[in-house]
Amino acid sequence: MGGFFDGATIVSMKTERVRVIAALPCPANAHITLCDIRQMKIQSQERVQDFARLVGGDDIRSKRLAFVTGASLARIQAKRLTDRPGVEFFSNPDTALNWLREPEAAIDGGAR
């Protein structure tokens, strides 16, 4: 994801997200998600709140969600989206993918 977002784009994103996730062969909320936001610009407070509702909603929730971030300000802004378990932030996409693929015990109770 990159650039600046407006409210209509986020609504459209949510609609598409619901459609795509409903078509996955796994049980509800058992999917994992990698979200690469290295090209995302700093968003307005209103857009951050829209994204927080999108990410933090219980309607469709990834079992694990890995954000790949770039600039430190964007990373700080992304960390404000949610504090729920199963969300981590990375600067390297390969490290994020490895974390997403780790067994549950390694994530919930083991050292990374």
Side-chain angles (χ1 to χ4, degrees):
M1 296 172 52
F4 293 103
F5 287 77
D6 61 21
T9 302
I10 294 173
V11 169
S12 176
M13 233 173 64
K14 182 172 183 171
T15 301
E16 183 66 6
R17 178 177 153 232
V18 168
R19 186 190 67 74
V20 169
I21 291 173
L24 293 174
C26 61
N29 302 332
H31 62 284
I32 57 175
T33 302
L34 175 68
C35 187
D36 187 338
I37 58 172
R38 289 177 289 177
Q39 299 301 313
M40 185 172 282
K41 305 294 183 199
I42 300 299
Q43 304 294 314
S44 71
Q45 211 38 46
E46 186 178 9
R47 294 297 79 82
V48 171
Q49 291 170 359
D50 291 342
F51 276 115
R53 283 189 291 276
L54 183 69
V55 171
D58 288 328
D59 55 342
I60 296 178
R61 181 178 284 216
S62 298
K63 180 169 67 172
R64 280 182 242 143
L65 171 57
F67 283 99
V68 180
T69 64
S72 61
L73 285 176
R75 184 181 189 98
I76 291 167
Q77 196 170 54
K79 284 187 171 190
R80 292 182 184 154
L81 295 177
T82 183
D83 61 355
R84 72 174 179 88
V87 178
E88 292 289 337
F89 298 85
F90 302 88
S91 56
N92 180 294
D94 292 329
T95 305
L97 279 171
N98 289 338
W99 176 79
L100 284 169
R101 294 174 178 153
E102 285 181 10
E104 290 294 319
I107 292 172
D108 295 335
R112 286 191 289 149

